[in-house]
Amino acid sequence: MVQTIGNPASWGAKAVHDGARALGDAAQHMRSDMDVHPRVHSIGVEDLWKALLLGVRDFSRFRSDVIALVVIYPMIGVLLTAMAFERAMVPFLFPMASGFALIGPVAAVGLYAMSALHEDGQEASWADALAMLRVRAIGPVLVLGLYLFAMFFLWMAAASWVYNVTLGPAMPQSVAGFMRDVFTTSDGWTMIWMGCGIGAVFAFVVLITALTSFPMLLDRPVGLPTAVVTSLRVASKNPLPVVVWGMIVAGMLVLGAMPAFLGMIFVLPILGHATWHLYRMAVSFD
């Protein structure tokens, strides 16, 4: 077929048409699909290690593409670190770093897509992953992503409140002085326990709602409510493995934060690919 260059009017009409179709597709995917019936399976702790091994395998297979895809993650971490020190916002450095766990599922969407494409025997470059996301589930993924970012900002607000009622509201004069106050005063230890407790609640809520939601939205034409409810069902049916998985994720993210978040180049793709395989173990369709 011969394609003509067209004119500005035709370009504008095509852009409007494509945009309207994209919005229509997004709205369609936001609704539950009654013809899709997810089945939730029991998994064991041993399946978590199996998923991690598969994640490592996928990481080694897609290494060049994956590093290109997630290199922005440690870059953001470095920028946040620099901003925290420059603006004397040292008390919020740890909340920002730990808060990455809340938005990690968004950063890993492309990784789920790469594992899915390879599983289907298709090309699995980052460009193919982004194309798959755009075609299948851009609308609900964006909404779910906004929810996670909202949780991140709520967590930062909670962390600010914890600091204000313990060591604050004045900012520390130096990093050394802040660290001394944190570990050698009763207010500092109160801040640690309060912060960890509240942070654990945020992390748990995100874990059970996003554990299989993002992979499912890429895998099947389900609505956002179906994806979230299925993730909650997975957590309800497998409480111990889900809690252990949360601990594994938290531990690996701590390792990935050293030094200066550069370890995320390796940790995030492994966790992303492993999450896809964990989803495939926990959910099937009639």
Side-chain angles (χ1 to χ4, degrees):
M1 179 182 296
V2 178
Q3 294 183 338
T4 60
I5 296 178
N7 54 60
S10 65
W11 298 341
K14 184 178 186 303
V16 171
H17 176 267
D18 291 344
R21 184 172 60 180
L23 289 174
D25 291 343
Q28 177 66 29
H29 286 303
M30 289 295 294
R31 298 193 296 268
S32 296
D33 190 336
M34 300 304 294
D35 294 330
V36 178
H37 305 285
R39 179 183 299 174
V40 172
H41 304 284
S42 296
I43 57 174
V45 174
E46 65 278 3
D47 292 317
L48 307 181
W49 306 115
K50 185 185 302 183
L52 279 174
L53 290 175
L54 291 172
V56 172
R57 184 201 64 184
D58 284 357
F59 171 64
S60 63
R61 177 181 292 118
F62 308 132
R63 180 168 297 172
S64 59
D65 286 328
V66 164
I67 290 178
L69 185 63
V70 304
V71 71
I72 193 170
Y73 201 82
M75 288 176 62
I76 292 175
V78 172
L79 289 175
L80 289 177
T81 303
M83 183 185 72
F85 280 99
E86 181 181 347
R87 299 188 180 183
M89 298 289 287
V90 176
F92 305 107
L93 177 59
F94 177 76
M96 283 190 291
S98 59
F100 277 178
L102 303 179
I103 57 177
V106 180
V109 166
L111 304 171
Y112 309 148
M114 293 175 75
S115 288
L117 288 168
H118 180 266
E119 192 174 276
D120 290 341
Q122 303 179 46
E123 292 294 326
S125 68
W126 66 268
D128 298 314
L130 292 178
M132 176 183 179
L133 172 63
R134 185 171 60 251
V135 169
R136 292 194 181 182
I138 187 63
V141 165
L142 285 176
V143 173
L144 197 55
L146 289 174
Y147 154 74
L148 295 187
F149 275 98
M151 293 292 287
F152 174 79
F153 288 114
L154 286 174
W155 157 239
M156 291 303 301
S160 176
W161 174 80
V162 170
Y163 177 77
N164 287 335
V165 300
T166 53
L167 293 178
M171 290 295 105
Q173 297 299 314
S174 65
V175 177
F178 173 70
M179 298 301 292
R180 183 177 60 251
D181 291 342
V182 169
F183 293 107
T184 64
T185 67
S186 59
D187 286 342
W189 281 103
T190 300
M191 184 188 72
I192 291 174
W193 290 114
M194 288 180 64
C196 289
I198 295 174
V201 173
F202 276 91
F204 179 74
V205 172
V206 168
L207 175 65
I208 63 175
T209 54
L211 178 62
T212 61
S213 300
F214 283 103
M216 183 182 295
L217 290 171
L218 291 170
D219 186 34
R220 297 296 176 105
V222 299
L224 181 57
T226 299
V228 173
V229 169
T230 302
S231 187
L232 294 174
R233 289 173 56 204
V234 170
S236 177
K237 191 165 187 174
N238 304 281
L240 178 59
V242 169
V243 170
V244 174
W245 180 248
M247 296 172 64
I248 291 173
V249 171
M252 292 184 66
L253 289 176
V254 169
L255 293 176
M258 302 180 292
F261 299 93
L262 293 177
M264 293 295 184
I265 294 176
F266 305 97
V267 169
L268 182 63
I270 290 174
L271 286 176
H273 291 306
T275 299
W276 168 261
H277 293 291
L278 193 60
Y279 153 73
R280 296 289 286 157
M281 295 175 188
V283 179
S284 65
F285 295 86
D286 295 335

